Amino acid sequence: MSPTHTRVTTPPADLDPCGREEHPDCGIRDVLDRIGDKWSVLVIVELARGPRRFRELQRAVDGISQRMLTLTVRRLERDGLVLRTVYPTVPAQVDYRLTDTGAGITHLVKALADWSLAHRAAIAEARHAYDLAHPGHDIR
Amino acid sequence: MSPTHTRVTTPPADLDPCGREEHPDCGIRDVLDRIGDKWSVLVIVELARGPRRFRELQRAVDGISQRMLTLTVRRLERDGLVLRTVYPTVPAQVDYRLTDTGAGITHLVKALADWSLAHRAAIAEARHAYDLAHPGHDIR
DNA sequence: CCGAATCCCAAATGATACTG
DNA sequence: CAGTATCATTTGGGATTCGG
């Protein structure tokens, strides 16, 4: 039959913009603002393999500009995920390593990567089908 | 001694842009491009609580514009994470729900949220300390 | 080697008005 | 209600140059 229930949800979404009850909306924004950018995760992944110097990181991440690497590691340092150590040699030498907190995030990253690999094919297929069904409809 | 190798980077970055060896870099980019934007995760979280109509979603997510909600759900639909159903009533009625694939991603999101909540305080503190130690140094 | 400073472009998002 | 169309703005990020 047809849906007879008129009111559907319409909860008081005004109060408490964060997560009332138990759903985790708000916390999520926090993480995503931190690792959702273009490079942070890749840097974390590389650092998860061991301490790295600046140039090593730049070579490993492949494609990152000097400016973005600087910004990325600085933000990670600011959030306490990465420890930055400067050796007053000449020329300068700086190494980066994950803090304990930063190391903990690698588990999440791993889970993300696993899920992605597991569903990559399905997603690609869905996209292909969508694009066939909606020619000229550009939403990218 | 000094580094005798003159050439610095400029490697054949064209070949194998993805991850050689076994590290999962590439897959990660895939997921992040999908859920790393400003709204996708919030929409997914809301849909995880049950099917929603367009307006319901907009009210629930709180802050999202009509335009961005449209774009977000369209992309999720394209990737096969969300199923969009149009009822040819008047006025129009459309509902959105997670596909099985989309539902599976909620576990990741949950893990992300949990981690975030668990470390939120530590991160806030780290930021505060950093900002105190680096006054006027804006890296946001 | 490790950055900071500057300039500039492209993409993401927001605001607003209009429509079936 | 559920969008589409435009325009304005903000943001992310690349290229280049300079300095310790």
Side-chain angles (χ1 to χ4, degrees), chain B residues 9 13 22 30 44-45 54 56-58 66 78-79 83 85-86 93-94 98 106 108 115 120 125 134:
Chain B
T9 327
E22 47 18 292
D30 244 41
I44 289 174
V45 166
F54 189 86
E56 293 178 319
L57 270 180
Q58 189 171 13
Q66 206 172 33
R78 177 171 182 255
D79 289 342
L83 179 64
T85 310
V86 180
Q93 178 170 339
V94 182
L98 292 179
T106 59
L108 288 181
W115 189 92
R120 161 176 298 185
E125 189 177 356
H134 304 76

Side-chain angles (χ1 to χ4, degrees), chain A residues 8-9 21 24-25 27-29 31-32 34 38 41 45 55 75 78-79 109 116 126-127 131 139-140, chain B residues 8 25 27-31 34 38 41 45 49 56 75 78-79 109 113 116 120 126-127 131 139:
Chain A
V8 193
T9 329
E21 311 196 79
D25 297 17
I28 296 172
R29 271 268 54 86
V31 211
L32 287 180
R34 193 150 299 112
K38 191 173 182 179
V41 168
V45 166
R55 295 293 290 182
R75 289 177 186 141
R78 176 169 182 256
D79 290 342
V109 170
S116 175
R127 286 189 172 192
D131 291 345
I139 58 178
R140 277 78 82 198
Chain B
V8 191
D25 297 15
I28 296 173
R29 272 266 56 85
D30 244 41
V31 213
R34 192 150 299 111
K38 191 172 182 179
V41 168
V45 166
R49 309 178 73 196
E56 293 178 319
R75 290 178 186 140
R78 177 171 182 255
D79 289 342
V109 171
S116 176
R120 161 176 298 185
R127 286 190 173 192
D131 291 344
I139 59 178

Side-chain angles (χ1 to χ4, degrees), chain B residues 46-64:
Chain B
E46 181 59 23
L47 287 180
R49 309 178 73 196
R52 292 288 188 272
R53 297 178 55 179
F54 189 86
R55 295 294 290 184
E56 293 178 319
L57 270 180
Q58 189 171 13
R59 276 190 291 266
V61 171
D62 187 87
I64 193 171

Side-chain angles (χ1 to χ4, degrees), chain B residues 104-121:
Chain B
I105 213 178
T106 59
H107 299 135
L108 288 181
V109 171
K110 183 66 166 55
L112 241 57
D114 289 346
W115 189 92
S116 176
L117 288 174
H119 296 85
R120 161 176 298 185

